[in-house]
Amino acid sequence: MTRLAKAGREMLFFLLTVMAALLVGALLLLLVGKDPLKSYTVLFWGAFGSANRIAETLVKATPLMIMGIGISIAFRNQVWNIGGDGQFILGAILAVIVALNVPGPAPLVLLLTLLAAFAGGACWGGIIGFLKARFNANEVITTLMFNYIASYLLQWLVRGPMIDPNGAGFPQTPLLAPALRLPHLLAGTRLHSGLLLALVIVFLSYFFWRSRVGFRIQLVGESQEVARYCGLNVPATVVLTMLLSGGLAGLAGWTEVFGIHYRLLDDLNTGYGSLAIVVALLGNLDPIGIMVASFFFAALLVGGSTMQRLAGTPFSLIGIIEGLVIIFAISRIILARGGWQRARGVFNRWFVNQSG
């Protein structure tokens, strides 16, 4: 199959998955007495009805895109990274610590914060990779637990050592210096240059999967026995996988703080990690697919708020559509590979994550 034909098939699958989820969502709307056409029209208008709304959709898509690429690296290695939220938070924490304490020219400090964000997320993910490689610890459990640790660490920091002394006691850090804030791409909107970083990561990921490291990660994911026979260090590859996956989640935290909030907040954890799993699966772990899927889910988030406000449609419908998308994505695994056990395992991990 040619690359163009494969891309066309993946796009068809994406469209069918989205249409099926929206169709079932429309039936649910009818059951609760809402007009599906009106609700979806308002949702579409809320996400794309003006330049400002499109910009807001792109703002939401930025961290999803970066984290989706990171999740895809782990999933291709058969490592189920459910800890994107924790890695997101640790990356943001280390970046802000650098920004508030390291003097120097703004461009240099900003670069250091970027590296710190990647290092923070990578270390948080790398610990999970080490536990799995050394002790065969279940990464679903450990990543979920590390999410809670990161969340509580953030709450302690913004209420204690890093609290803004001029913030009237609010749980937040001091504002970042204006020179360290990501420039906006469109005046009058929140769209910032973090989107450019996300697009660069999507572009570079294509070269990554054609590199020796990318091939090694995929080979270990396909068969550890074959990888060992080829002389690869499987435990080291697992750790490397989680370092990269966590590092990208940390970069997503960097874009959110330095492009939107300009400070750490106790509710910084927005659940992007859970949604990035759905984005990665819907995008079939492919960079372009992930980019499109992140834009779709960002539109759901932005348009869903408008739909609830103007059409009176419960915002919980958006969560239902997200769940339907992953069910249909898993169904594709069943049809394509005949892997009932594998599909059930993916669903169970996603369900545990949602329940946690």
Side-chain angles (χ1 to χ4, degrees), residues 73 76-78 207-224 226-228 230-244:
I73 294 175
R76 287 202 190 194
N77 192 239
Q78 300 297 313
F207 295 96
F208 173 77
W209 291 120
R210 287 160 176 78
S211 69
R212 180 176 299 179
V213 174
F215 178 76
R216 187 172 78 185
I217 289 175
Q218 292 188 87
L219 180 58
V220 171
E222 289 294 329
S223 174
Q224 292 192 4
V226 173
R228 289 191 183 96
C230 294
L232 297 181
N233 188 329
V234 172
T237 303
V238 171
V239 175
L240 174 62
T241 296
M242 285 302 297
L243 285 171
L244 294 174

Side-chain angles (χ1 to χ4, degrees), residues 3-337:
R3 184 175 301 177
L4 182 61
K6 182 179 179 181
R9 186 188 65 178
E10 296 300 334
M11 182 57 65
L12 177 62
F13 160 71
F14 176 89
L15 293 175
L16 290 176
T17 301
V18 170
M19 290 174 61
L22 292 177
L23 178 60
V24 177
L27 295 177
L28 294 176
L29 284 172
L30 288 174
L31 289 176
V32 297
K34 299 294 181 180
D35 183 354
L37 182 60
K38 177 182 177 182
S39 297
Y40 285 154
T41 299
V42 173
L43 186 149
F44 183 85
W45 179 82
F48 307 109
S50 66
N52 188 68
R53 294 181 184 277
I54 294 174
E56 193 63 25
T57 298
L58 291 172
V59 166
K60 293 291 186 183
T62 296
L64 287 177
M65 202 181 306
I66 298 174
M67 295 183 75
I69 295 294
I71 292 294
S72 71
I73 294 175
F75 280 15
R76 287 202 190 194
N77 192 239
Q78 300 297 313
V79 178
W80 307 104
N81 183 12
I82 316 294
D85 286 330
Q87 296 146 20
F88 177 98
I89 291 173
L90 259 293
I93 289 175
L94 258 67
V96 171
I97 289 175
V98 170
L100 296 179
N101 295 282
V102 176
L108 176 60
V109 175
L110 189 60
L111 176 61
L112 291 176
T113 64
L114 177 70
L115 297 176
F118 185 88
C123 289
W124 211 240
I127 296 173
I128 303 299
F130 173 77
L131 292 175
K132 180 176 178 61
R134 181 66 178 84
F135 304 105
N136 197 29
N138 188 307
E139 70 272 22
V140 174
I141 297 175
T142 52
T143 50
L144 283 174
M145 293 303 100
F146 270 57
N147 280 350
Y148 286 111
I149 295 172
S151 180
Y152 289 131
L153 175 62
L154 173 64
Q155 292 180 35
W156 173 70
L157 288 173
V158 298
R159 286 175 168 83
M162 296 181 67
I163 191 171
D164 184 0
N166 302 315
F170 288 104
Q172 59 189 22
T173 63
L175 279 169
L176 300 174
L180 297 180
R181 303 173 188 178
L182 296 179
H184 286 192
L185 299 178
L186 187 62
T189 72
R190 300 201 304 168
L191 183 61
H192 55 81
S193 55
L195 175 64
L196 301 180
L197 174 65
L199 295 175
V200 168
I201 290 173
V202 170
F203 176 74
L204 293 179
S205 63
Y206 265 104
F207 295 96
F208 173 77
W209 291 120
R210 287 160 176 78
S211 69
R212 180 176 299 179
V213 174
F215 178 76
R216 187 172 78 185
I217 289 175
Q218 292 188 87
L219 180 58
V220 171
E222 289 294 329
S223 174
Q224 292 192 4
E225 292 184 3
V226 173
R228 289 191 183 96
Y229 182 79
C230 294
L232 297 181
N233 188 329
V234 172
T237 303
V238 171
V239 175
L240 174 62
T241 296
M242 285 302 297
L243 285 171
L244 294 174
S245 183
L248 288 176
L251 289 183
W254 180 80
T255 63
E256 191 74 3
V257 171
F258 285 72
I260 300 295
H261 303 296
Y262 309 132
R263 66 189 351 154
L264 289 179
L265 305 168
D266 67 337
D267 58 350
L268 181 66
N269 184 1
T270 55
Y272 281 130
S274 301
L275 198 51
I277 296 172
V278 190
V279 167
L281 289 175
L282 182 59
N284 196 34
L285 309 184
D286 178 78
I288 297 298
I290 290 171
M291 181 176 66
V292 175
S294 63
F295 187 71
F296 167 73
F297 278 103
L300 282 183
L301 292 175
V302 177
S305 299
T306 305
M307 183 177 66
Q308 181 182 32
R309 187 171 62 253
L310 298 184
T313 305
F315 188 77
S316 57
L317 174 71
I318 302 303
I320 294 174
I321 292 177
E322 293 171 7
L324 290 170
V325 166
I326 197 168
I327 289 174
F328 293 135
I330 292 171
S331 300
R332 189 235 185 171
I333 297 175
I334 297 173
L335 294 175
R337 304 182 183 179

